[in-house]
Every structure is written in structure tokens, then in C-alpha cells.
């Protein structure tokens, strides 16, 4: 019996332990991110036409720095996210206008309200800068463009699931609000894109 207890104790002591984020830690995460626009458009209300922006799934990497175990800053970097833009809801429903390619780096400040636990939930708020790398649409022979630079506030909520050896699994949801003027030679619409951004991935503490 005594030998069995000693064997169990040694096994527990040798088992890998969870490592929780501390002041000064940097966490790097690689995630798969789904961007789902929640757009609002008034392209031509007289016939019911509006602009619709489709969803896309992209790879993403982010970096977090912990000022304390409760407070962190997160910078989200991603490749460009290409979205098809169509006319929907009216007499011209189904017309395809092309696509735009948006680069959406986002910086948030996070509050980790239950640190030092296996599940480390957080909420955050910050700002997103959206760079339209490809902003030209076309309708017949008429050139249509969106703005090159856009900004908008962002809110987030998520959780890290801590694993041994400083690894973790992450789930994160953001809501970003931003809009753009859609123009030919003159403005034809103000398009609120306002996407939901849902991410899942793995990370490592350093």
C-alpha cells in the first residue's frame, strides 16, 4: 500500500503542469477566422436594391502582451479577406459587382477576469483599421469603388483553455463596426459592413 502511494505521488509530481499567463508574458496564437458581414445598405430603396457582402474564412495570427495577469493587449494580424459584393433584395437581385480585398488589423485591450484557471475567459475592446487593398467593383462598364482606409470600434469575448507546457486552445468572438462610401463619379451608397469575427485556434506562451 505504501509503495502504491509513493508511486502515485511520484507520477503526480512528474506530470506536466498547467502554466498560466503572468505579467510580462507574450502569447502567440494561430487561428482560423470566419468573417461574417452584418451589412446595412440603401443602394436604391425605390426598387428595393441593396448591397450584400459575402462571408469568408481566413488564417490569422495574433500576439498578446500581459501587463498583469488580468490585463493584456492583443494585436490581431491576418491576410487579406476577399468578399464578393452583390445586389440583393430588389429588382436587380443577383447582380454580381465583383469583390473587394480587406486587410483588418485590430488592437484590443483585454480584461482576464478569472486568471490562474484552466479556462481563462476575457472580454476586450479596441479599434480596427481596415485597409482596402483591392477596392474596385464593376457594374457593366461603370467603375465602382469603396474607400481605401476605414476605422471602427471592436468588442470581443473569448477564452483560453490552458494546456501543459505553456500551450493553449483559444475561442474568440469579435464584433467590429465600420462603414464605407460606395462611389462611381459620385457617392451612391453608404455601406455598413459591421462583421462578426469568430476565431478558433491554438497558442503558446513565451
Amino acid at each position: 500500500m505504501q509503495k502504491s502511494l509513493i508511486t502515485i505521488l511520484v507520477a503526480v509530481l512528474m506530470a506536466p503542469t498547467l502554466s498560466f499567463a503572468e505579467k510580462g508574458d507574450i502569447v502567440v496564437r494561430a487561428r482560423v477566422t470566419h468573417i461574417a458581414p452584418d451589412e446595412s445598405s440603401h443602394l436604391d430603396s425605390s426598387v428595393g436594391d441593396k448591397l450584400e457582402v459575402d462571408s469568408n474564412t481566413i488564417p490569422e495570427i495574433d500576439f498578446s502582451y500581459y501587463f498583469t495577469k488580468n490585463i493584456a493587449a492583443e494585436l490581431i494580424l491576418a491576410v487579406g479577406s476577399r468578399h464578393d459584393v452583390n445586389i440583393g433584395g430588389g429588382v436587380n437581385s443577383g447582380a454580381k459587382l465583383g469583390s473587394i480585398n480587406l486587410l483588418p488589423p485590430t488592437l484590443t485591450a483585454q480584461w482576464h477576469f478569472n486568471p490562474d484557471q484552466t479556462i481563462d475567459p476575457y472580454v476586450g475592446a479596441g479599434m480596427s483599421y481596415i485597409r482596402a487593398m483591392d477596392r474596385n467593383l464593376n457594374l457593366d462598364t461603370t467603375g465602382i469603388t469603396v474607400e481605401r482606409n476605414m476605422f471602427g470600434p471592436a468588442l470581443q469575448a473569448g477564452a483560453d483553455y490552458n494546456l501543459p507546457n505553456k500551450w493553449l486552445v483559444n475561442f474568440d468572438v469579435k464584433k467590429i463596426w465600420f462603414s464605407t462610401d460606395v462611389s462611381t463619379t459620385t457617392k451612391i451608397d453608404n455601406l455598413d459592413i459591421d462583421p462578426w469575427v469568430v476565431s478558433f485556434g491554438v497558442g503558446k506562451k513565451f
Side-chain angles (χ1 to χ4, degrees), residues 153-199:
L155 294 178
Q156 73 175 151
D160 290 325
Y161 186 90
N162 290 301
L163 300 171
N165 300 318
K166 297 188 175 182
W167 288 95
L168 58 88
V169 175
N170 175 261
F171 177 74
D172 184 271
V173 178
K174 297 180 187 67
K175 177 66 173 179
I176 302 173
W177 291 267
F178 71 94
S179 64
T180 181
D181 288 342
V182 182
S183 306
T184 53
T185 54
T186 59
K187 177 180 172 180
I188 62 173
D189 193 10
N190 180 260
L191 176 63
D192 298 321
I193 299 178
D194 300 347
W196 287 97
V197 181
V198 181
S199 302

Side-chain angles (χ1 to χ4, degrees), residues 115-175:
D116 298 335
Q117 303 295 324
T118 302
I119 299 176
D120 177 8
Y122 59 83
V123 293
M127 183 66 65
S128 185
Y129 163 62
I130 298 89
R131 171 78 172 178
M133 298 182 294
D134 177 2
R135 64 194 186 104
N136 294 311
L137 302 170
N138 291 285
L139 178 59
D140 297 327
T141 58
T142 303
I144 303 174
T145 62
V146 300
E147 293 179 81
R148 177 69 72 188
N149 301 297
M150 295 158 276
F151 297 86
L155 294 178
Q156 73 175 151
D160 290 325
Y161 186 90
N162 290 301
L163 300 171
N165 300 318
K166 297 188 175 182
W167 288 95
L168 58 88
V169 175
N170 175 261
F171 177 74
D172 184 271
V173 178
K174 297 180 187 67
K175 177 66 173 179

Side-chain angles (χ1 to χ4, degrees), residues 49-77:
D49 284 347
K50 61 181 181 179
L51 295 180
E52 296 180 342
V53 184
D54 77 344
S55 300
N56 194 12
T57 301
I58 61 172
E60 174 246 282
I61 187 168
D62 69 86
F63 303 87
S64 292
Y65 178 79
Y66 282 75
F67 297 98
T68 71
K69 65 173 60 180
N70 294 102
I71 301 172
E74 182 185 78
L75 176 63
I76 299 103
L77 301 175

